[in-house]
């Protein structure tokens, strides 16, 4: 299983684009979130945007969803020959309605781009079989009403992506002993809010989850002024990576 962090930024414009991460596992190419700039980032780093088989959305904030339309237009008009392979879009309850609303604005291309599109709503606790041994499971997180984290598994390898979340040890328990915990790390302590994580909160959650590796993403610029690694090391002694757009790692299957 290979993870590539495509967009490690937030709603705050910077050199990092909005949220999006690519998981390549067997025959499955899964895009987790697709905020603004993610489609373009795939182009700049040479990622296989044409080969995406599944798109999973954690919640409906624009910095996680805006490139859904961009990608549909890319597959219809930006790929020669146009895409024919089917696509499955997964998300919390409401993802179908979101797509209907995008159709009302941008037209039928969003729902019927010339290749088969299946939309599947995944309830928290539900697990989807994506094919070729890959499963996707959702877990409720405290951010917006619909927000979920995702666990992607294949061949014993397990990646957990928090999406956007507030502090919650239940999410950490659910992620326990995963290979990679891809966690949001939005804000410094002095700007803490209930719907996002600070480095010290990530540290506590990583202590509970005890992943083989902690990979951080979703940085508002002020948090990068902090000694993130130093703060986290007070609670978690494993390998910590501050991800950048285009950073990639192999997660070994067993
Ligand atoms: Zn959000
Ligand atoms: Zn966000």
């Amino acid at each position: 299983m290979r993870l590539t962090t495509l967009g490690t930024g937030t709603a705050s414009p910077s050199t990092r684009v909005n949220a999006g991460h690519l998981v390549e596992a067997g025959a499955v190419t899964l895009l987790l979130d697709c905020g603004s700039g993610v489609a373009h980032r795939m182009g700049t780093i040479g990622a296989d945007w044409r080969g995406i088989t599944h798109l999973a959305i954690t919640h409906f904030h624009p910095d996680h969803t805006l490139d859904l339309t961009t990608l549909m237009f890319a597959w219809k008009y930006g790929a020669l020959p146009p895409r024919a392979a089917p696509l499955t879009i997964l998300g919390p309850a409401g993802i179908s309605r979101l797509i209907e609303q995008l159709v009302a604005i941008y037209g039928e291309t969003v729902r019927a781009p010339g290749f088969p599109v299946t939309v599947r709503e995944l309830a928290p606790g539900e697990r989807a079989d994506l094919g070729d041994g890959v499963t996707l499971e959702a877990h409720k997180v405290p951010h917006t009403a619909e927000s979920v984290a995702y666990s992607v598994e294949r061949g014993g390898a397990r990646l957990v992506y928090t999406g956007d979340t507030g502090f919650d040890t239940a999410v950490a328990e659910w992620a326990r002993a995963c290979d990679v915990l891809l966690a949001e790390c939005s804000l410094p302590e002095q700007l803490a809010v209930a719907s996002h994580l600070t480095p010290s909160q990530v540290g506590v959650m990583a202590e509970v989850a005890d992943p083989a590796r902690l990979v951080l993403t979703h940085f508002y610029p002020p948090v990068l002024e902090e000694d993130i690694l130093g703060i986290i090391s007070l609670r978690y002694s494993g390998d910590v990576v501050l991800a950048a757009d285009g950073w990639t790692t192999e997660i070994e299957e067993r």
Side-chain angles (χ1 to χ4, degrees):
M1 184 188 292
R2 169 168 284 275
L3 165 68
T4 305
T5 53
L6 299 167
T8 58
T10 61
S12 184
S14 74
T15 54
R16 301 167 185 269
V17 304
N18 290 184
H21 309 286
L22 196 66
V23 181
E24 293 160 286
V28 171
T29 300
L30 166 67
L31 180 61
L32 297 169
D33 285 335
C34 56
S36 176
V38 167
H40 187 72
R41 179 66 73 219
M42 286 193 280
T44 58
I45 68 167
D48 183 19
W49 59 272
R50 290 176 178 82
I52 290 168
T53 57
H54 297 77
L55 170 59
I57 300 291
T58 59
H59 67 292
F60 306 144
H61 276 157
D63 61 317
H64 296 252
T65 56
L66 270 181
D67 267 5
L68 200 157
T69 305
T70 310
L71 278 168
M72 288 301 188
F73 275 69
W75 284 317
K76 185 174 172 72
Y77 300 111
L80 294 171
R83 178 185 178 126
L87 174 79
T88 301
I89 301 174
L90 303 109
I95 185 71
S96 302
R97 183 164 170 272
L98 176 79
I99 290 168
E100 292 307 316
Q101 290 169 325
L102 291 172
V103 168
I105 300 167
Y106 296 111
E108 275 297 324
T109 297
V110 180
R111 183 176 44 205
F115 53 88
V117 176
T118 304
V119 180
R120 175 168 176 189
E121 300 199 334
L122 202 63
E126 204 177 337
R127 181 183 286 245
D129 178 2
L130 307 189
D132 202 20
V134 181
T135 60
L136 179 79
E137 188 180 345
H139 185 93
K140 194 170 173 51
V141 294
H143 180 64
T144 59
E146 79 282 4
S147 292
V148 293
Y150 284 123
S151 170
V152 186
E153 291 177 57
R154 183 175 194 263
R158 184 178 184 220
L159 160 72
V160 172
Y161 169 47
T162 64
D164 286 2
T165 185
F167 179 76
D168 185 10
T169 51
V171 179
E173 294 280 2
W174 174 71
R176 188 182 283 279
C178 63
D179 296 286
V180 170
L181 176 59
L182 176 59
E184 77 125 283
C185 184
S186 290
L187 296 165
E189 313 301 331
Q190 65 272 20
L191 297 176
V193 294
S195 56
H196 284 297
L197 297 177
T198 66
S200 68
Q201 291 172 325
V202 174
V204 174
M205 285 175 66
E207 183 180 32
V208 173
D210 197 25
R213 200 173 201 195
L214 175 65
V215 179
L216 301 179
T217 186
H218 206 271
F219 304 112
Y220 279 88
V223 79
L224 293 167
E225 307 290 313
E226 302 289 296
D227 176 16
I228 296 175
L229 297 178
I231 295 167
I232 287 176
S233 70
L234 299 175
R235 304 302 292 258
Y236 172 74
S237 56
D239 186 20
V240 185
V241 174
L242 305 186
D245 292 17
W247 179 82
T248 190
T249 189
E250 204 69 48
I251 305 170
E252 211 168 312
E253 297 178 13
R254 292 178 278 272

